Amino acid sequence: MSGRSFLVLGALLASSLTTVALAPGAHAADTLLSQGRPATASSQEGAGYTPSAAVDGDLTGTRWASQWSDQQWLQVDLGRPANISRVVLTWEAAYGRDYEIQASDNGTDWRTLRKVTGGDGGTDDLAVSGSGRYVRMQGLARATGYGYSLWEFQVYGSATDGTPAPGAVKVEGTQGSWRLTVGGQPYTVKGVTWGPAIADAPKYLPDVRAMGANTIRTWGTDGSSKALLDSAAANGIRVINGFWLQPGGGPGSGGCVNYVTDTTYKNNSLTEFAKWVEAYKSHPATLMWNVGNESVLGLQNCYSGSELEAQRNAYAGFVNDVARKIHSIDPDHPVTSTDAWTGAWPYYQRNAPDLDLYAVNAYNGVCKVRQDWIDGGYTKPYIVTETGPAGEWEVPDDVNGVPEEPTDVQKADAYTRAWNCVTGHQGVALGATLFHYGTEHDFGGVWFGLVPDGMKRLSYYAVKRAYTGSTAGDDTPPVISTMSVSPASSAPAGGEFTVRADVRDPDGDPVTYKVFLSGNYASGNKRLVEAQWRATGSGTFAVTAPQKLGVWKVYLQAEDGHGNAGIETRSVKVVAPPVSGTNLALNRPATASSSQASYGDCPCTPQLAVDGRADTRWASDWSDPQWFQVDLGASKALRTLQLVWDPAYAKSYAVQVSDDGTTWRPVYSTAAGDGDVDTVPLSATARYVRLQLTARGTGWGYSLHELGIYG
């Protein structure tokens, strides 16, 4: 239709002059039922003119357009039976001269609510009387040579059954006997936190709905949120719209703000939040507003002592300012604020009386929230905005000193337990958004995700069972048990280690495998990278260890071909590969150009690099050049040198030997050092061995965990 785009401006101007005032405006009780709901049509002119564009709330930016013939139709599924009182059609230049407004209970049998003849385009605001779940514009005759085209097709009315209908969301009741209502109907938050890209919402939200979830939670709201809200509404899902405040995210999070004095940050935040409340307050997917995430706890990263207390009280007071502002714009949706512990609630109790309810993120401790609420004497209900299996901070360390991740079975049980504890606090806990519906296939995604890499896990089905009461007929994931790694604490860099596990599929599906590694504890990189591996037997795999030293996580992923996966993980400690022969440098006298007397784990003297221990090190000053040498006590035949670097490694260095400690001869050099382990073949006889270090690989100095000389 690009050839007639010049008609659009004329149509918009005409619409303001030739509106068909066929009916008075709707009563105040009328609710917009159609926005964001599923829409279909007899045809569309092209990919840019889909039926959904006529129910997206954009009156001048997007539109549906049919093929260029009569007897075309557009219909919307309201999702529930409704009393229909008003239909508003905002026509593009290609409008319907004659058409009918029809309603249906089943999408098949239609009855006419209103017939229009001689229409002149613009905006037709029609009073109608009738009921139905589906409402259709049935075109009879076009006014132009083009098709039918609607900027917006709006249906108003009220729901006729007991299902939640679009309308005001309220926290109602009295102390200990509260409930959340949507459109006057009780509503328990059965939710998940939302992780996929907004562009993927149409792909994943139907699955969220199939789980039995009715709510998703976000952490930020801005201009991109509309597409997510639209998709949520189309799938009958509501959204807890989050607003991010610094320092959000709890321990370790950055972005310090002075809530006592920084009025600029607070005013800017208040203005920004108000903008999006105004934008989305009438959106049918909006459930409530959530201000901040774990900031009361996170402020400990910025302040301490009495100043920390002052900041926490000031932060809670600012949350109250935001709540008051939101209420002035949108009185029809409640406001809450999330923190990582119930210990934050006293700050809200003192400083944020305008919050409608509280919110908390609680994992292994979720079942204590009820008693904390009782002991705190609180007079507002709450929701749990994140919960699931025990986190890194709540589990014991394993043999390699890193948090021992729960198994798939334990994680599934944790979701069931969490939901039971939330629903067990009747009249106070109004529901939960479980963490996390996300496709992230990384360290955190596997620890907490219901669908990492898009694969459904045991936890997914535990949540579905909690929300719907059944998973009967579902094909469920393989179950991995007794996973072990050998050797768990001494896998040689670049060598192989063994993974063993028992795997069964409840449905008898054939199982395929993948093995991944994560360097979260070794390098800070949380990504999962597929390992080099080979099957060596039933449930037994030989895996190639990475070259980088440290503790790694190894993941066994068992897939059933039906979109399900079992994932188990254990840690493996990668160490320097063994060198045959005798370590001639072990505990021999060592000297260096410099050493750090105090920094972190220092003093880091030269002798610590020849003590045979991987957890001690020598470290130099932070400058070039430096040197390190060892006295073997007598002239020895040298065959191999092994250097085990700390992250502060040498990019360029030379190996020199001497018979007297004064005259040196070179035996090896490199300008391409990359740290971790260097194993250097030697062919020399000498008493002294020196590293002449000329270029650092980092901004620090040079640091060796161990220097070994074998002969």
Side-chain angles (χ1 to χ4, degrees), residues 665-690:
R665 55 188 184 273
V667 293
Y668 174 81
S669 67
T670 183
D674 57 2
D676 291 316
V677 179
D678 290 347
T679 302
V680 178
L682 299 177
S683 180
T685 301
R687 172 176 173 173
Y688 299 91
V689 178
R690 169 183 280 197

Side-chain angles (χ1 to χ4, degrees), residues 613-632:
R613 294 177 54 179
D615 60 345
T616 60
R617 65 188 179 100
W618 162 71
S620 78
D621 290 343
W622 296 9
S623 63
D624 296 318
Q626 302 287 334
W627 57 262
F628 179 97
Q629 74 182 50
V630 60
D631 178 1
L632 304 181

Side-chain angles (χ1 to χ4, degrees), residues 582-607:
T582 302
N583 183 0
L584 305 175
L586 183 62
N587 293 321
R588 297 302 305 166
T591 54
S593 54
S594 65
S595 61
Q596 289 185 22
S598 61
Y599 184 83
D601 58 342
C602 291
C604 299
T605 63
Q607 205 61 40

Side-chain angles (χ1 to χ4, degrees), residues 13-78:
L13 293 173
S15 70
S16 64
L17 300 173
T18 60
T19 299
V20 181
L22 301 178
H27 296 294
D30 288 344
T31 299
L32 177 59
L33 305 175
S34 54
Q35 188 165 308
R37 297 300 307 165
T40 54
S42 54
S43 66
Q44 65 187 57
E45 185 180 350
Y49 306 102
T50 62
S52 62
V55 292
D56 63 1
D58 191 341
L59 283 169
T60 59
T62 60
R63 60 189 175 90
W64 162 72
S66 77
Q67 293 179 356
W68 297 7
S69 61
D70 289 325
Q71 302 296 319
Q72 302 290 334
W73 54 263
L74 171 80
Q75 71 185 48
V76 60
D77 176 3
L78 305 179

Side-chain angles (χ1 to χ4, degrees), residues 392 395-404:
E392 288 180 79
V395 297
D397 287 345
D398 67 9
V399 66
N400 290 319
V402 300
E404 186 169 7

Side-chain angles (χ1 to χ4, degrees), residues 630-648:
V630 60
D631 178 1
L632 304 181
S635 185
K636 304 285 179 71
L638 314 179
R639 180 173 48 82
T640 305
L641 169 71
Q642 186 178 75
L643 305 174
V644 181
W645 294 102
D646 175 73

Side-chain angles (χ1 to χ4, degrees), residues 31 37 117 171 184 195 197 400 460 521 569 686 705:
T31 299
R37 297 300 307 165
T117 57
V171 176
N400 290 319
Y460 171 96
Y521 298 117
T569 178
H705 280 291

